[in-house]
């Protein structure tokens, strides 16, 4: 201000007005174990930088230990900003950081994601199961810190198209049903070049026993072959050893070619030769394996060889001219069994 030769000067320092706090983000995401810069800005309504020192702190609970590059940073008087670097912990989840200055508070929420897959783990699966059984196959995907990774896993079974399943908490599951034939099945799981193979042996299912005959007939002192089959509902041969036994009483002593015979794993069958005794009647044979049994009934018929020394006959009636006589004759085979069927030729000699 001047008046004549006089003057006065006023010096007024303009300071920032009422300030407000802003931040470079409120929520963000970053991979576990990595750094992320956090920044706040303190300015008034005319964009003038404020002043002060920002206090930084981590808010508990944390998924894992994390750290800040500094616990306090001064506001840059040229830009009004202050920043810090957060090193995220090794576990996924939300990490929260609080910034305070001059009564103002800002909160950052950083969601940490799993890193790249470094480990692919097979879940337990039985190495052997019955045919047509449904098995849950599982694959786990994890990063270098053991965090489960969300991703799609591709599954490939023999002769079938590829299918994909999404991981849940890092685990992908495939419900796989074995075929109806016994043998080895392989299913592969793959993710970005990583491959895991499941090898499962399909065993026969619940067996059923069957036989080549239930009731049969044969000739005394001759051989007859008895056969049983042990297969599951899909026709797969089942392993085992058949035990053969004669069921008393017997018309006469009989014998087997073996008392036990293994089941042929190609056909599912086992057989034995029964030598029938020398007397007619029913011979009963039992075949057993585990809790399964089959019974054979063999009706032994007389031999075709007559024993002429045992032919006997009787006669009744009057042996007079014009009289009637009845003649009866009995026939026996070589073992003394009465021959029930056949014909006799009669001749009269005068």
């Amino acid at each position: 201000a001047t008046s004549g030769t006089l003057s006065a000067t006023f010096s007024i320092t303009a300071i920032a007005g009422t300030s407000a706090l802003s931040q470079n983000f409120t929520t963000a995401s970053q991979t576990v174990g990595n750094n992320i810069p956090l920044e706040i800005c303190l300015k008034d309504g005319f964009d003038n930088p404020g002043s002060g020192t920002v206090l930084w702190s981590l808010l508990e609970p944390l998924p894992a230990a994390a750290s800040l590059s500094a616990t306090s940073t001064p506001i840059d008087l040229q830009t009004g900003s202050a920043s810090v670097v957060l090193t995220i912990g090794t576990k996924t989840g939300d990490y929260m950081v609080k910034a305070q200055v001059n009564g103002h508070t800002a909160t950052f929420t950083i969601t940490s994601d799993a890193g790249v897959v470094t480990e692919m783990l097979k879940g337990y699966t039985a190495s052997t199961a019955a045919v047509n059984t449904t098995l849950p196959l599982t694959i786990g995907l994890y990063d270098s810190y053991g965090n489960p990774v969300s991703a799609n896993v591709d599954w490939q079974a023999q002769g079938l198209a590829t299918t994909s399943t999404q991981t849940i908490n890092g685990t992908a599951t495939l419900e796989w049903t074995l075929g109806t034939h016994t043998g080895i099945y392989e299913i592969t799981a793959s993710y970005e070049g990583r491959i895991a193979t499941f090898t499962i042996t399909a065993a026969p299912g619940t067996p059923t026993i069957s036989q080549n005959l239930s009731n049969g007939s044969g000739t005394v002192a001759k051989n007859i072959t008895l056969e049983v089959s042990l297969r599951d509902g899909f026709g797969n041969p089942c392993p085992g050893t058949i035990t053969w036994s004669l069921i008393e009483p017997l018309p006469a002593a009989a014998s087997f070619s073996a008392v036990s015979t293994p089941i042929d794993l190609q056909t599912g069958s086992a057989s034995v030769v029964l030598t029938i005794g020398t007397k007619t009647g029913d011979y009963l044979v039992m075949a057993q394996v585990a809790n399964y049994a089959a019974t054979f009934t063999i009706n032994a018929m007389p031999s075709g060889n007559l024993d002429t020394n045992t032919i006997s006959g009787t006669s009744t009636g009057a042996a007079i001219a014009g009289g009637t006589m009845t003649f009866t004759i009995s026939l026996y085979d070589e073992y003394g069994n009465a021959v029930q069927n056949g014909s006799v030729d009669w001749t009269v000699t005068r």
Side-chain angles (χ1 to χ4, degrees):
T2 58
S3 175
T5 59
L6 299 175
S7 65
T9 301
F10 299 85
S11 296
I12 304 167
T13 300
I15 61 174
T18 302
S19 59
L21 190 65
S22 62
Q23 55 200 100
N24 59 337
F25 65 83
T26 303
T27 60
S29 61
Q30 181 58 284
T31 305
V32 291
N34 284 324
N35 296 330
I36 185 169
L38 313 180
E39 183 179 84
I40 59 95
C41 188
L42 188 66
K43 291 183 179 181
D44 66 12
F46 300 101
D47 208 31
N48 296 300
S51 62
T53 298
V54 180
L55 302 178
W56 302 90
S57 60
L58 290 160
L59 298 180
E60 298 286 349
L62 298 171
S67 62
L68 296 166
S69 58
T71 56
S72 63
T73 52
I75 291 175
D76 186 313
L77 298 181
Q78 299 299 313
T79 63
S81 299
S83 64
V84 74
V85 174
L86 167 68
T87 299
I88 300 170
T90 57
K91 297 299 179 184
T92 58
D94 288 341
Y95 292 78
M96 297 180 69
V97 176
K98 181 168 66 174
Q100 292 177 296
V101 59
N102 299 345
H104 300 284
T105 300
T107 302
F108 299 80
T109 301
I110 299 92
T111 299
S112 63
D113 301 320
V116 298
V117 173
T118 59
E119 192 171 27
M120 185 176 187
L121 297 178
K122 287 169 53 178
Y124 170 77
T125 300
S127 59
T128 301
V131 292
N132 204 43
T133 297
T134 299
L135 300 171
L137 309 181
T138 60
I139 284 292
L141 299 180
Y142 303 93
D143 67 11
S144 58
Y145 300 107
N147 296 298
V149 177
S150 178
N152 284 319
V153 173
D154 293 329
W155 303 87
Q156 176 70 63
Q158 294 163 311
L160 299 177
T162 300
T163 187
S164 296
T165 58
Q166 173 75 34
T167 58
I168 298 175
N169 293 327
T171 300
T173 302
L174 177 70
E175 297 290 334
W176 167 249
T177 301
L178 292 172
T180 57
H181 295 291
T182 57
I184 296 175
Y185 291 79
E186 286 191 350
I187 304 94
T188 60
S190 61
Y191 173 76
E192 293 187 350
R194 297 175 183 271
I195 297 176
T197 301
F198 295 83
T199 302
I200 304 163
T201 299
T206 302
T208 300
I209 196 169
S210 60
Q211 56 203 98
N212 62 336
L213 57 92
S214 297
N215 296 283
S217 61
T219 304
V220 292
K222 297 295 183 182
N223 293 333
I224 185 169
T225 299
L226 309 179
E227 182 179 89
V228 294
S229 296
L230 194 67
R231 299 187 182 94
D232 67 12
F234 301 102
N236 298 298
C238 300
T241 298
I242 304 294
T243 300
W244 304 90
S245 59
L246 290 159
I247 301 175
E248 300 285 351
L250 299 171
S255 63
F256 293 119
S257 59
V259 294
S260 64
T261 52
I263 292 173
D264 186 316
L265 296 182
Q266 299 300 313
T267 64
S269 301
S271 63
V272 74
V273 174
L274 168 68
T275 300
I276 302 170
T278 58
K279 296 300 179 183
T280 57
D282 287 340
Y283 291 78
L284 274 71
V285 176
M286 179 176 288
Q288 289 181 295
V289 55
N291 296 322
Y292 306 93
T295 302
F296 299 81
T297 301
I298 314 302
N299 181 249
M301 308 298 290
S303 166
N305 300 320
L306 294 179
D307 184 353
T308 56
N309 295 320
T310 60
I311 296 175
S312 62
T314 60
S315 63
T316 59
I320 59 174
T324 299
M325 296 186 70
T326 300
F327 296 90
T328 302
I329 190 169
S330 297
L331 302 178
Y332 300 89
D333 67 10
E334 58 189 307
Y335 301 106
N337 298 298
V339 178
Q340 304 296 327
N341 299 312
S343 61
V344 176
D345 295 327
W346 299 88
T347 60
V348 178
T349 304
R350 296 175 59 185

